[in-house]
Structure formats: C-alpha cells, structure tokens
C-alpha cells in the first residue's frame, strides 16, 4: 500500500484545509498556493493516483467530478464569466500530488488560445 497523499489526509480530516464543497464522491478545497484569484482543487474521495488510472468502474466518479465543477462554479459565481479547468497528469504534466485532482482557475482572463 503506497503512502497516503496530503489530499487523502485532508479528506480524512488529518490536515486542515479550506473546504468549499463536498459530497459523497468529491471534496473541493482552496489551493494553498493560488495561481489565480479563485483556485480550487476538486478531489475524488477515492485515491485514484491520476487521470490515467481511471478505470471502467470509475465512470460514475468521472461524471461526478465534472458535475461538482459545475456546482462549485455556480457557488463561487464564476459560471457565467468562465474559468479554466486543468488536470495535470504525471511527471511531464507537472503533477506533484499523486491523487487525481482538477484545478478550477478563475477571476482573471486567461490568454485566448494559450494553454499557459
Ligand atoms: P499538481 O501540481 O499536483 O497539479 O497540483 C497540486 C496542487 O496542490 C498545487 O497547486 C499545490 O499548491 C496544492 N497543494 C499542495 N499541498 C496542499 C495542501 O496541503 N493544501 C492545499 N490546500 N493545497 C495544497
């Protein structure tokens, strides 16, 4: 069994975090080092290491993650103006915490067409 990630520890209440949303499948927290005025991490309770580790049996979870993004966007008042959703995956993708998470970034205008 691999070591628990900081996100599992947050989900289990061992490490404090600013939780903005939670349901049966998902917990969302404010990023400790925000890259935009609004920076929220949407994390499945199940410790899937990364996007490429999702399996057929996770089809509901995958949908739940995206529906949570919608609910959070509405709650945070960013659904209309828009936001960027990023899933860093693996070493080359810049993933630093090996527990799947979606970054919601908002409150600034991202350069059109730019992925940076
Ligand atoms: P990654 O680089 O894996 O896509 O993103 C990991 C994110 O988790 C980073 O943006 C980082 O700031 C955030 N992060 C790492 N440790 C903690 C923590 O203990 N609490 C919170 N709220 N965010 C964290």
């Amino acid at each position: 069994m691999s070591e628990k990630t900081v996100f599992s520890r947050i989900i289990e209440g061992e490490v404090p975090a600013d939780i903005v949303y939670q349901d049966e499948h998902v917990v969302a927290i404010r990023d400790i080092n925000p890259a935009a005025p609004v920076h929220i991490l949407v994390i499945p309770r199940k410790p899937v290491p990364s996007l490429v580790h999702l399996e057929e049996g996770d089809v509901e979870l995958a949908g739940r993650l995206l529906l949570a993004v919608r609910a959070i966007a509405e709650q945070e008042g960013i659904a209309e103006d828009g936001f960027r959703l990023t899933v860093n995956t693996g070493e080359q993708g810049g993933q630093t915490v090996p527990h799947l998470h979606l970054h919601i970034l908002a409150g600034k205008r991202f350069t059109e067409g730019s992925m940076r």
Side-chain angles (χ1 to χ4, degrees):
M1 186 79 189
S2 55
E3 289 241 322
K4 265 198 270 182
T5 67
V6 67
F7 293 163
S8 284
R9 298 186 67 210
I10 287 171
I11 288 164
E12 290 169 22
E14 294 172 14
V15 169
D18 185 356
I19 296 173
V20 296
Y21 172 93
Q22 54 184 321
D23 63 28
E24 190 188 333
H25 305 275
V26 173
V27 173
I29 61 173
R30 293 201 192 278
D31 197 293
I32 204 166
N33 184 20
V38 177
H39 188 169
I40 292 167
L41 304 171
V42 185
I43 308 166
R45 290 183 185 276
K46 180 179 175 185
V48 179
S50 84
L51 192 75
V52 296
H53 295 85
L54 282 173
E55 297 170 349
E56 280 295 322
D58 295 318
V59 65
E60 181 183 356
L61 179 60
R64 292 283 173 190
L65 282 165
L66 291 179
L67 286 175
V69 169
R70 188 198 66 185
I72 294 160
E74 286 169 358
Q75 178 187 298
E76 294 290 314
I78 56 173
E80 197 170 321
D81 283 349
F83 56 91
R84 179 160 286 187
L85 189 64
T86 303
V87 189
N88 298 331
T89 304
E91 199 183 329
Q92 293 262 316
Q95 184 178 2
T96 58
V97 179
H99 183 146
L100 175 62
H101 52 284
L102 285 53
H103 295 255
I104 300 175
L105 296 151
K108 61 173 267 192
R109 176 179 287 273
F110 290 91
T111 311
E112 286 162 35
S114 162
M115 293 308 291
R116 278 186 281 147

